[in-house]
Amino acid sequence: MRKLILGLAITLDGYIEGPNGEYDWCFTDQDYGLNEFFERIDAIFIGRKSYEMMQKQSDSSNGEAIPGMPALTEYVFSKTLTSVKEGAVLISGDSMAEARRIKNLPGKDIWLFGGASLYDALMKEGLVDELWMSVHPILLGTGKRLFREQSDRRQLTLLDSKIYETGLVSVRYSIV
């Protein structure tokens, strides 16, 4: 079965974006393991807000939402969208059943890119296999938190960690 890997930037105090949706605090001076990660995946799960943000970024940067990102099958999870760009797949019905079905398809691992709500729902269903966090050395103090209340504890096993000269710490955990 393919692994579903939450991979994203986060501040030391647990925020994934600032109070106005900004992510200008994310380091972009090097790839921080992203190109190696891209070799592991062939699909991306993305929520509506993150999808729309990526579309805006793509439109303003010659079609490249994330520098170096290969062509991936995009699964857009939304209850409100009625269409997505050509080549993307809209998931709007029983999204957790559909996520399970996609994980069972042959292929490489899947990147859970965005959406705290999507992450929360997938985590509650036990569908997230790994957390790969790029912890940025900043305290935002406010914004959107990634981690919400969970009904039970989840044990994690450290798979890898790397410290960069910039102070960014990359950590990768499997969820037990």
Side-chain angles (χ1 to χ4, degrees), residues 6-85:
L6 173 69
L8 49 70
I10 190 166
T11 65
L12 188 59
D13 53 352
Y15 293 99
I16 57 174
E17 61 184 48
N20 301 307
E22 69 273 18
Y23 52 93
D24 57 342
W25 47 269
C26 290
F27 294 165
T28 58
D29 60 314
Q30 55 184 294
D31 89 326
Y32 294 104
L34 202 51
N35 287 321
E36 185 179 325
F37 177 69
F38 286 153
E39 293 175 16
R40 292 183 59 192
I41 62 171
D42 64 3
I44 185 170
F45 282 6
I46 188 166
R48 178 191 57 82
K49 291 176 190 172
S50 297
Y51 171 74
E52 290 173 343
M53 180 266 308
M54 279 184 66
Q55 288 305 120
K56 285 181 187 172
Q57 179 66 25
S58 179
D59 292 345
S60 66
S61 60
N62 299 324
E64 196 170 55
I66 298 172
M69 186 171 84
L72 302 171
T73 302
E74 291 182 48
Y75 295 96
V76 182
F77 289 74
S78 174
K79 294 182 188 322
T80 58
L81 289 177
T82 56
S83 66
V84 291
K85 71 179 185 178

Side-chain angles (χ1 to χ4, degrees), residues 101-112:
R101 185 189 71 76
I102 294 164
K103 279 186 69 174
N104 284 310
L105 293 174
K108 294 181 178 182
D109 292 335
I110 304 165
W111 183 13
L112 173 52

